[in-house]
Amino acid sequence: MITEIEKREIEAEIKKAPTKKAAVIDVLKVVQKHRRWIPDEALEEAADMLGMTPAEVDSIATFFSLIYRRPVGKHVILVCDSVSCWLVGYEDVKQHLMEMLGISLGETTKDGRFTLLPSACLGVCEEAPAMMIDDDLYTHLTPSLVDEILQKY
Ligand code: FES
């Protein structure tokens, strides 16, 4: 169930937007900020506040890779899976991440520490290959740099 705090923040987002529906991504971000992902019940209540059906909100939520419809780990790693990164080492970086973490893309480590997800272009193609961990962007990746970076988390 959506909490009072979430409700207030959602109402504030709806007020800022030109229409209720235009606030949908910001509303989902509010829910995700509080829960780390968007469970069905919260999505249904948010849809109700937006005057939308749960199916409409769900289709938007699943379209955006930064909105999570399943539980995620403490840290979310988004490894860029787009063309510039493919050309300069994506495969090695991805393989190394999967080996280090013992998981495949789309999975979370057993200790709940990391979730590894593929991402569309992160917008830093000239510095490929790239990944984000939570809000931190890392570029010019190599397997050994990935090791160093993971130590920080
Ligand atoms: S393709 Fe990876 S950052 Fe653009």
Side-chain angles (χ1 to χ4, degrees), residues 80 82-85 121-125 128 130:
C80 179
S82 290
V83 67
S84 297
C85 288
C121 176
L122 293 171
V124 286
C125 305

Side-chain angles (χ1 to χ4, degrees), residues 13-74:
E13 291 300 339
I14 290 174
K15 236 183 230 161
K16 276 194 270 171
T19 65
K20 274 187 172 187
K21 285 185 184 182
V24 63
I25 293 293
D26 291 314
V27 165
L28 291 170
K29 283 186 189 166
V30 167
V31 176
Q32 187 161 287
K33 181 181 81 180
H34 289 279
R35 297 157 190 263
R36 303 193 45 76
W37 67 292
I38 316 281
D40 287 345
E41 322 78 63
L43 180 133
E44 283 161 21
E45 286 186 55
D48 198 43
M49 292 178 75
L50 287 160
M52 298 169 73
T53 66
E56 285 173 319
V57 175
D58 190 36
S59 69
I60 292 167
T62 46
F63 182 76
F64 285 92
S65 58
L66 295 179
I67 300 290
Y68 310 130
R69 287 287 283 126
R70 286 191 295 164
V72 290
K74 183 163 185 249

